[in-house]
Amino acid sequence: MAIEARNVTKRFGDFVALDDVSIEVESGSLTALLGPSGSGKSTLLRVIAGLERADAGDVFISGKEATALAPQKRGVGFVFQHYAPFKHMTVWENVAFGLSSRKRPKAEIAKRVDELLELVQLKGLGKRYPSQLSGGQRQRMALARALAPEPEVLLLDEPFGALDARVRVELREWLLRLHDEMHVTTIFVTHDQEEALELADSIVVMNKGRVEQIAPPRQLYDEPANEFVMSFVGPVNKLGDAWVRPHDIELRHEPNGSTREAQIERVVRLGFETRVDLVRDDGERLHVQLTRDEADQLELDAGDIVYLRTRHERTFTA
Amino acid sequence: MTARRLIRFGSLGYLALILVAPVGLIFWRAFEHGWHPFWVAISNPDAVHALKLTLEVTLVAVPLNTVFGVLCGLAIVRHRMPGMGLVNALVDLPMALSPVVVGLSLYLLYGRQGWFGPWLTDHGVRVLFAYPGILLATTFVSLPFVVREVVPVLREIGTEQEEAAATLGARAFTTFRRITLPAIRWAVAYGVVLTTARSLGEFGAVAIVSGGIAGRTQTLTQYVQASYDNYSQTSAYAAAVLLAGLAILTLLLMTKLRPREEVHGNRGA
């Protein structure tokens, strides 16, 4: 295991940020800490980095006990949500900081910084100040800075949170390629389930300071452990006590034995996919996802009455 | 338009009446009969000594309060310890307290009947009516400026850059030297300028503890008063011009620093 947190508890006054949390992160993996705000995911990341001291529990990094170790000695690279650039230093000096503060030879520093700037596609921007960079460039600078001292573990706090949508998608793909090349164990924090599903090998779903489930993306989506995971990861409908994904519902014009009836409120065509908004007698609303061909065949229109049949329906015992 | 004009003329008129006229008058009276009398007045040995003493005190008090001010600012902002609220309030005391009270309290501490006075006298250290007393009084009254400039800036820059430095392997002192200090440098510079101005101009507290012996424990401000009391008005005006000149010099330094601080602030945004 590259990283292990055992029974970690952290309180801020009366607020319990982490409540007996245990996770294991495999060496070389890309793990997401996923959860709504206030779920404790950033606190857990900061405890692993040594920026917060846990009230109880232990942290192991690369098999070594790190619970009481200062952040300087953990061999951890950390990228802050707003990148925390050193504003008075150039991009080059920012990236060099981890090496120059360890008093490495000048030639070695220069070589490594140039390599990293090339890797994060900031070659030629080394003399600029952080304020002269775009959000995406600043993010990559922060990443290069964190990677410079060759950390065993890379921790990213909401790495794409402060970027606009297009840049975010580009950077995601880029980070994935980077991770494939570098193979440094990486944990990133996100509240965006799509981001977690796309990037991570393993997802830790957190809620109210507790771990709800740890699983690979596909398993998390197909076999959620409880209602929270089901509703937080992926789109979902509630049919009475049962939960159904929008793409697991079939629509028919005739009952065919189905007792579930609903009226079409709206048909939204989104390219390949068509979304049908339904309302049931009891006022419950549903979204159904169909391919364009399916929708065309059914000739659905607003106001139509349709009958529902579900493929994977799920109920959880509380 | 009229409201705007009222504001402009009102503020300028106020400044002219309260600030420019009196200071200008001093300059005018000092140079009324040309450069020569001015030169004679300020090359008087007592005047030269007073200037030297004032500068000597300022050159020690300012570095002392700068180092203390930065450390104190860090303690107040970065270390949530019980008692820091009290420290924060205490730092303002010299601003609230009349300098005369400060002088008096030093007198009570270091005087012949004071708490430390007899012990120090036995060990041959003289505080009152000597350089140490003047230094203590000046340091006391000029203490808050660096702290007050540094604290809001430390709050504003937050801890993220320092945390980033820590995860990159920098020790606490390296982080301070390479991250924190550069981030607060203009605030420190601004505080130094204000501390200097205050130290140069201190009168009340020093008047009580220095004794004001001409050629020995007389600072420049006291020299001005003594000259004025002795009806040697040319000397008084000349020394006052010297003081005003030093003050204006520090102010110019400050205005030279300020735009750079703003440019830096924009760059950081």
Side-chain angles (χ1 to χ4, degrees):
Chain A
M1 286 303 142
I3 304 165
E4 197 183 338
R6 246 185 243 162
N7 309 105
V8 170
T9 296
K10 174 75 188 172
R11 288 184 199 86
F12 296 106
D14 288 336
F15 179 71
V16 183
L18 294 173
D19 186 1
D20 197 26
V21 167
S22 298
I23 66 165
E24 287 182 4
V25 174
E26 240 175 273
S27 194
S29 71
L30 182 53
T31 298
L33 298 182
L34 175 67
S37 56
S39 59
K41 54 196 192 303
S42 285
T43 306
L44 179 57
L45 200 72
R46 290 173 61 84
V47 167
I48 293 169
L51 296 172
E52 278 329 322
R53 185 68 59 94
D55 297 325
D58 297 299
V59 176
F60 297 85
I61 295 173
S62 309
K64 285 175 301 223
E65 160 93 58
T67 315
L69 225 50
Q72 288 90 333
K73 292 176 180 156
R74 294 197 180 200
V76 156
F78 200 101
V79 176
F80 290 80
Q81 187 176 359
H82 300 288
Y83 321 132
F86 302 141
K87 290 178 186 168
H88 59 284
M89 294 184 194
T90 63
V91 171
W92 202 94
E93 289 165 338
N94 262 276
V95 176
F97 184 88
L99 300 170
S100 59
S101 66
R102 280 160 215 243
K103 306 223 159 39
R104 296 278 178 79
K106 282 224 167 66
E108 184 198 321
I109 295 175
K111 186 165 169 277
R112 176 99 181 119
V113 173
D114 288 339
E115 266 171 30
L116 280 164
L117 286 180
E118 173 129 40
L119 181 75
V120 300
Q121 300 158 9
L122 290 177
K123 213 182 161 193
L125 299 183
K127 288 206 172 72
R128 295 225 185 148
Y129 283 90
S131 60
Q132 297 167 314
L133 301 180
S134 71
Q137 289 171 332
R138 233 176 279 179
Q139 213 250 13
R140 284 177 295 172
M141 181 198 81
L143 207 55
R145 185 177 71 180
L147 288 170
E150 299 183 39
E152 292 169 57
V153 166
L154 187 61
L155 305 173
L156 311 165
D157 191 2
E158 298 267 7
F160 311 109
L163 300 169
D164 60 62
R166 201 175 54 82
V167 180
R168 200 181 303 184
V169 172
E170 272 175 29
L171 267 175
R172 265 192 227 167
E173 292 171 8
W174 178 81
L175 183 74
L176 209 53
R177 282 203 305 274
L178 186 80
H179 182 257
D180 285 343
E181 277 175 44
M182 310 263 307
H183 272 294
V184 54
T185 310
T186 305
I187 303 183
F188 71 100
V189 159
T190 181
H191 59 264
D192 181 346
Q193 40 107 1
E194 201 186 302
E195 209 165 275
L197 291 172
E198 184 183 329
L199 288 178
D201 311 322
S202 172
I203 300 176
V204 179
V205 182
M206 295 189 66
N207 182 36
K208 294 181 180 159
R210 288 170 176 276
V211 172
E212 299 281 355
Q213 188 174 3
I214 303 178
R218 177 153 187 179
Q219 193 188 344
L220 205 66
Y221 192 84
D222 293 342
E223 299 161 40
N226 54 39
E227 288 190 10
F228 179 82
V229 178
M230 177 93 193
S231 61
F232 195 75
V233 181
V236 77
N237 289 301
K238 204 163 182 206
L239 275 169
D241 289 334
W243 299 81
V244 192
R245 300 281 188 207
H247 48 75
D248 286 339
I249 300 178
E250 279 175 47
L251 298 180
R252 294 277 162 82
H253 283 293
E254 310 79 35
N256 264 358
S258 164
T259 55
R260 283 162 170 166
E261 182 188 303
Q263 187 173 30
I264 298 182
E265 209 176 30
R266 218 148 53 107
V267 179
V268 189
R269 296 191 168 79
L270 303 157
F272 174 73
E273 172 198 325
T274 296
R275 196 182 79 213
V276 185
D277 298 347
L278 303 167
V279 60
R280 305 235 292 146
D281 290 348
D282 54 7
E284 242 181 291
R285 277 165 204 285
L286 301 172
H287 303 290
V288 177
Q289 241 177 332
L290 303 171
T291 65
R292 194 170 55 186
D293 290 349
E294 283 173 328
D296 285 350
Q297 259 171 20
L298 285 165
E299 292 177 1
L300 300 170
D301 278 311
D304 289 358
I305 300 290
V306 288
Y307 298 89
L308 279 60
R309 184 189 293 271
T310 60
R311 279 184 289 255
H312 299 287
E313 202 171 283
R314 226 167 261 284
T315 48
F316 300 96
T317 45
Chain B
M1 277 315 275
T2 34
R4 218 197 246 179
R5 203 175 275 182
L6 197 74
I7 290 172
R8 191 189 302 162
F9 282 114
S11 56
L12 286 181
Y14 183 79
L15 283 180
L17 194 72
I18 304 292
L19 268 176
V20 182
V23 176
L25 212 58
I26 293 274
F27 276 81
W28 184 66
R29 291 301 291 271
F31 296 110
E32 208 175 5
H33 305 292
W35 277 92
H36 185 68
F38 173 79
W39 186 248
V40 170
I42 61 161
S43 46
N44 171 311
D46 287 352
V48 171
H49 186 273
L51 174 66
K52 250 180 76 183
L53 181 62
T54 295
L55 290 179
E56 276 168 13
V57 169
T58 303
L59 284 176
V60 177
V62 172
L64 217 61
N65 277 335
T66 304
V67 172
F68 167 81
V70 172
L71 289 179
C72 198
L74 280 173
I76 289 170
V77 179
R78 293 283 187 264
H79 300 276
R80 291 278 150 98
M81 284 185 293
M84 272 306 142
L86 188 68
V87 171
N88 197 8
L90 266 180
V91 165
D92 283 336
L93 195 64
M95 297 244 208
L97 219 55
S98 165
V100 176
V101 180
V102 176
L104 210 61
S105 65
L106 288 175
Y107 196 86
L108 289 174
L109 268 182
Y110 299 104
R112 226 178 300 164
Q113 256 91 59
W115 283 7
F116 305 145
W119 187 86
L120 286 168
T121 313
D122 289 347
H123 291 78
V125 180
R126 205 185 161 128
V127 175
L128 289 185
F129 314 122
Y131 179 81
I134 301 168
L135 180 63
L136 272 173
T138 307
T139 309
F140 190 113
V141 297
S142 63
L143 178 145
F145 297 100
V146 173
V147 187
R148 281 291 152 253
E149 290 298 320
V150 162
V151 162
V153 178
L154 275 175
R155 287 228 167 88
E156 197 197 309
I157 59 171
T159 52
E160 272 206 349
Q161 291 185 55
E162 290 162 15
E163 286 179 345
T167 60
L168 290 167
R171 288 155 191 272
F173 185 71
T174 310
T175 301
F176 172 73
R177 187 174 58 82
R178 294 191 58 196
I179 306 297
T180 315
L181 202 54
I184 62 170
R185 63 190 190 267
W186 299 122
V188 174
Y190 200 59
V192 166
V193 169
L194 290 174
T195 311
T196 308
R198 186 73 183 83
S199 304
L200 288 172
E202 171 47 28
F203 177 76
V206 168
I208 290 188
V209 296
S210 81
I213 306 155
R216 284 178 55 202
T217 63
Q218 198 173 46
T219 61
L220 202 52
T221 49
Q222 287 177 290
Y223 179 80
V224 173
Q225 202 213 5
S227 306
Y228 189 79
D229 286 349
N230 293 333
Y231 303 102
S232 55
Q233 299 194 346
T234 321
S235 300
Y237 293 136
V241 160
L242 209 59
L243 262 176
L246 286 170
I248 288 167
L249 201 73
T250 40
L251 278 174
L252 282 177
L253 251 164
M254 178 162 79
T255 42
K256 236 187 114 54
L257 287 176
R258 245 209 253 166
R260 280 161 81 184
E261 181 183 33
E262 273 156 21
V263 167
H264 180 74
N266 288 339
R267 215 179 59 189

